[in-house]
Amino acid sequence: MRAAILQGTSLSIRTLADPVPAAGQLLVRPLFTGICGSDLSQRKQMALLAEQTPPADQHILPAIIPGHEFSAEVVDIPSGTNTPLKRGDLISALPFTHDHDGTPAAIGLSRDHGGGLAELACVDAVRSFRIPDGIAPDLAALTEPLSVGLHAANLASRNQGPNIIIGCGPVGLSVILALRAQGRGPILAADFSAERRKAAADLGADIVLDPATDSPYERWSDLGFTPHAMSPLLARDFLGLPSGLNIFECTGAPGVIDQITKTAPPHTHVIVVGVCPHEDTLTPYEGIVRELTLEFSFAYRPHEFGEALGLLQSHSELAARLITSRQPLASTEAAFDSLAANPHEIKILIDPHA
């Protein structure tokens, strides 16, 4: 099979042996595969590892087939796999599995579990969902990133709204789409990119702004929101949980969580969705006196994958706006470069068979 291989500083198309599914897995033919910010981060980390590796040892660097957001066709179901799915079914699968020793592993983000930037891949049958009729394969490749946004929205259970989205990349836009589908507003979205602010408005954000010129932390009144006082200054007869904002941190940029804890009004629920792989600092006192809830959101739960497919079915025209280009497998390296450099790119899909 042909596959995109990320190794060191190289991202190239190679011919490899076809993968062999184990019992409990499916052999699938990826149809469309999205490139994610996690893929870009992994590329940077592997390039850094290559810089630290002597030239004579470059060949032993880990080689990975990226791609954890994809739709696929079931090609083979090995003996020992119990599933209602059948050959020819179109599926989207949670890109998580276990290594031989039972350790959790991510498909498309680990050397032993190749992802969707290949003509064939293996996924766990129990974590595979049949794509409902009427959802096109390219749209179905958005199931995984939409599940991330849906999970974050579901975690924001303390307040119905208002909602503030910091960062309008694919994660932030998925949160906006999930909130809008749940009827939860109003929504304020902030991003430095004019293109991404427009995408946020198209998906249903009520207010969009450029944080370079307009602080999202000073626009509470525009959302029709008046913060409660800090707990000791509430009315004497006040009972229950004071309402507040939901703030979704979707950038993963160092310093943003600290900025939020210093500026959010009392009783805000902060949901951290953007992945920050670096050490970060915050001042707990700032969150304590405001009695903030700080919650970290990771991926999704299996039932939310199914809910995301339903969201795609009911909001297909909105979700399709996330797709900014479709490229053949041979253009994978150029697509990575474009996504990293161009803010107008939101979700680039790769067709492994084009």
Side-chain angles (χ1 to χ4, degrees):
M1 70 170 186
R2 293 165 64 243
I5 303 295
L6 182 59
Q7 184 175 32
T9 59
S10 170
L11 181 53
S12 59
I13 308 302
R14 304 181 195 174
T15 299
L16 306 175
D18 292 352
V20 179
Q25 291 189 316
L26 305 172
L27 181 66
V28 300
R29 182 173 71 94
L31 302 175
F32 285 95
T33 301
I35 302 173
C36 173
S38 299
D39 297 317
L40 300 184
S41 296
Q42 184 179 56
R43 188 187 191 191
K44 289 182 180 178
Q45 293 167 8
M46 294 183 71
L48 180 61
L49 178 62
E51 292 174 3
Q52 300 168 345
T53 302
D57 295 331
Q58 292 284 316
H59 66 285
I60 64 173
L61 289 169
I64 292 175
I65 303 174
H68 57 278
E69 309 173 357
F70 57 94
S71 58
E73 177 187 358
V74 178
V75 173
D76 190 30
I77 304 174
S79 176
T81 296
N82 182 21
T83 177
L85 296 168
K86 59 184 183 299
R87 291 176 181 83
D89 280 348
L90 301 188
I91 61 101
S92 183
L94 280 75
F96 288 90
T97 186
H98 293 90
D99 284 330
H100 299 300
D101 61 359
T103 304
I107 295 170
L109 293 168
S110 60
R111 65 189 303 172
D112 296 323
H113 302 281
L117 289 175
E119 292 177 330
L120 293 169
C122 296
V123 297
D124 289 358
V126 72
R127 277 172 274 278
S128 297
F129 288 76
R130 184 182 177 277
I131 298 170
D133 294 338
I135 300 180
D138 57 349
L139 202 61
L142 300 176
T143 308
E144 199 275 350
L146 287 184
S147 298
V148 172
L150 182 62
H151 181 58
N154 288 341
L155 287 181
S157 57
R158 174 169 173 168
N159 305 303
Q160 177 75 6
N163 306 284
I164 292 182
I165 316 298
I166 308 298
C168 298
V171 170
L173 294 175
S174 294
V175 173
I176 292 171
L177 183 55
L179 290 170
R180 183 55 66 195
Q182 293 175 347
R184 298 172 62 182
I187 300 170
L188 182 152
D191 197 282
F192 293 108
S193 164
E195 293 90 348
R196 293 188 171 187
R197 292 197 300 272
K198 181 180 184 305
D202 289 344
L203 289 176
D206 301 286
I207 301 171
V208 295
L209 56 85
D210 181 354
T213 59
D214 197 359
S215 172
Y217 310 113
E218 298 175 357
R219 299 287 293 271
W220 317 133
S221 60
D222 292 352
L223 297 170
F225 173 73
T226 301
H228 279 283
M230 64 171 60
S231 285
L233 297 178
L234 291 169
R236 181 168 177 162
D237 58 351
F238 185 93
L239 298 175
L241 186 67
S243 59
L245 296 172
N246 296 317
I247 299 181
F248 297 86
E249 199 297 280
C250 301
T251 69
V256 176
I257 298 174
D258 185 50
Q259 187 180 47
I260 291 172
T261 59
K262 290 176 178 176
T263 54
H267 315 294
T268 290
H269 189 172
V270 182
I271 302 93
V272 181
V273 198
V275 177
C276 178
H278 312 289
E279 287 189 4
D280 207 352
T281 60
L282 59 84
T283 306
Y285 172 81
E286 300 288 353
I288 290 170
V289 297
R290 292 173 175 79
E291 213 165 78
L292 305 180
T293 299
L294 179 61
E295 187 162 6
F296 294 86
S297 178
F298 175 65
Y300 30 73
R301 293 169 187 165
H303 74 89
E304 290 166 332
F305 225 73
E307 291 174 10
L309 283 168
L311 191 155
L312 284 170
Q313 206 167 20
S314 60
H315 294 76
S316 58
E317 291 186 7
L318 284 178
R321 298 181 186 184
L322 296 174
I323 302 172
T324 46
S325 62
R326 300 165 180 80
Q327 304 290 335
L329 186 65
S331 298
T332 297
E333 183 177 27
F336 269 63
D337 292 340
S338 180
L339 186 62
N342 299 318
H344 69 271
E345 292 284 17
I346 297 173
K347 184 58 64 180
I348 299 177
L349 299 182
I350 300 294
D351 180 350
H353 303 274

